[in-house]
Amino acid sequence: VQLVESGGGLVQAGGSLRLSCAASGFTLDLYAVGWFRQAPGKEREGVSCISSSDGATYYADSVKGRFTISSDKSKNTVYLQMNSLKPEDTAVYYCAADRRALFALRAGVVTWDYDYWGQGTQVTISS
């Protein structure tokens, strides 16, 4: 299982970015994919996750209405569209995959205990 993030960068507050998480070694139907972020001096937090098999998604309150998670199974890639970005969104963003999280999400339960992780991509929002 390998995950590679891309799409990070520096944008002004109010701007947008789209992060990509290219997956290999597994198919999206069999794993939940989540986006996490970690800001300097803060704990890692779960931002959003998706079950590509049935389209179930979840968003943390801090990003609800501004971020959209989606998947393209033909490309085995999960995206995180981030709009109306704020300086407090500045962090390293990681994608991760997990089988148990898939079953939990399908059942309406969100768990952030993921097994497989990408290397992260930096997102910096200037005020």
Side-chain angles (χ1 to χ4, degrees), residues 5-28:
E5 303 96 334
S6 62
L10 170 65
V11 297
Q12 289 187 331
S16 298
L17 281 174
R18 188 178 79 158
L19 305 183
S20 299
C21 174
S24 60
F26 70 99
T27 58
L28 293 180

Side-chain angles (χ1 to χ4, degrees), residues 16-91:
S16 298
L17 281 174
R18 188 178 79 158
L19 305 183
S20 299
C21 174
S24 60
F26 70 99
T27 58
L28 293 180
D29 278 345
L30 300 181
Y31 287 74
V33 174
W35 284 98
F36 296 74
R37 66 187 181 185
Q38 186 164 22
K42 294 187 177 181
E43 291 189 357
R44 185 177 64 202
E45 65 169 329
V47 172
S48 181
C49 56
I50 186 168
S51 161
S52 299
S53 60
D54 63 359
T57 59
Y58 173 84
Y59 298 93
D61 287 344
S62 58
V63 305
K64 199 172 295 182
R66 300 187 298 122
F67 291 11
T68 302
I69 192 170
S70 62
S71 67
D72 184 337
K73 290 192 282 186
S74 69
K75 296 181 179 179
N76 224 38
T77 298
V78 173
Y79 302 97
L80 186 68
Q81 177 67 44
M82 307 186 297
N83 298 328
S84 302
L85 285 161
K86 305 174 182 180
E88 51 263 44
D89 294 318
T90 295

Side-chain angles (χ1 to χ4, degrees), residues 78-123:
V78 173
Y79 302 97
L80 186 68
Q81 177 67 44
M82 307 186 297
N83 298 328
S84 302
L85 285 161
K86 305 174 182 180
E88 51 263 44
D89 294 318
T90 295
V92 178
Y93 283 70
Y94 301 89
C95 68
D98 192 83
R99 285 275 287 165
R100 294 163 298 174
L102 173 69
F103 301 128
L105 186 57
R106 283 174 173 174
V109 175
V110 178
T111 173
W112 299 115
D113 185 15
Y114 280 56
D115 279 340
Y116 303 102
W117 292 82
Q119 82 289 349
T121 185
Q122 176 70 47
V123 171

